[in-house]
Amino acid sequence: MSQTVEQNRSTSETDIKLDVELRKVFKVFHGETAVRGIDLDIHQGEFFSILGPSGCGKTTTLRLIAGFEEPTGGEVLIRGKSMLSVPPYKRPVNTVFQSYALFSHLTVWENIAFGLRLKKSGKAEVQERVEDALALVKMDSFARRYPAQLSGGQQQRVALARALVNRPTVVLLDEPLGALDLKLRKEMQVELSNLHQELGVTFVMVTHDQEEALSLSDRIAVMNAGRIEQIGTPSEIYESPQTPFVADFIGDTNLFYGRVETVYSAVLQVATEKGLKILVKPQEAWRGSPPSEVVVSIRPEKIRLGVNEPTDQTNSYEGTLKHVMYLGTHVHYRVELATGDALTVLQPNRSQALPELHTPVRVYWSAKDCIALTTGTRDFSNA
């Protein structure tokens, strides 16, 4: 993690402008540390997501940027200026909440105009900017309605318009689509992405939804227990996780705790606790000196399943089919290997007859399709 942060800083110091910087930020509530010395650089104009499970500190981090909380230690900067002791209403940011936080007694138009009127903007300016904001979120025809007369998706659009009408440097999104049903959430993800591309404003989103973060973000910070475990693009986070937590939290994966037995030029041979021998790609940062104990991560979609022996013998194992779940576009399999290890396999639906339960099968994958990670804790076995 620290290496990633240092790389980000090195790049930013040369040619990338920053909108938000967090420097060794801590936040303590009643003796409990919610945020543990995080460093973060958010580039101008990017869609940046802070992703993690409930209680990991992601919402607290967003509130520290917004000014709703003050750091116990460290510093928050926006456009290079320290925000210490700067109240929320004086920061160049606006927040969109999961609950929308619209004023029920005000119309859509009045909700959007509220911040401008608070700043005592002129009548003509308020009229023009509110109309522009309504057009931007496609809510022109709903200007005279009240929040209770709107659907959840429409209320979300109004909340976005209210945040954007003040033309902030940074828009903060706190689980912005969490209250919507699945179909509407998918539609709003597309609209949110289009809106960001059209405006070029920096978006910082907090979410626990991995798919949402992967589909919308330019970069993602994965948080766990108040710390940032990894920062990277969606493909870097998914394809090259740096810790077992990141591998397990982002999408589905099979994790095996094991010991390195042999080191080849480009691969390691790892023996799991139950005796499974796996050839695996090591992390590049190890430079030929891997730790003795590792966690092996294999994505379910990287594994092939068949009845016959494959021509490529790399990581090929016998097993028994224990569970089959039809998912429409894909089929989810659970295989128990001869060692007793369990393995999840995900394959595209090719309209073939599904194999029967308890059928003997073979599973196989190449060494480049799995990765060895430092162990962290031993809560990552696949038992």
Side-chain angles (χ1 to χ4, degrees), residues 127-138:
Q127 183 72 32
E128 179 184 358
R129 287 171 65 172
V130 171
E131 288 177 358
D132 287 347
L134 282 166
L136 192 65
V137 297
K138 302 178 180 65

Side-chain angles (χ1 to χ4, degrees), residues 279 304 309-317 362-367:
L279 293 178
R304 294 189 175 188
E309 182 99 12
T311 54
D312 182 4
Q313 295 297 312
T314 304
N315 294 325
S316 174
Y317 312 99
R362 291 199 74 91
V363 291
Y364 52 100
W365 64 89
S366 69

Side-chain angles (χ1 to χ4, degrees), residues 58-86:
K58 60 186 185 296
T59 297
T60 299
T61 301
L62 197 78
R63 290 175 63 82
L64 288 165
I65 298 170
F68 300 134
E69 302 287 351
E70 282 290 322
T72 307
E75 191 172 22
V76 176
L77 299 94
I78 298 177
R79 286 280 173 94
K81 295 182 179 179
S82 175
M83 292 291 110
L84 293 180
S85 301
V86 177

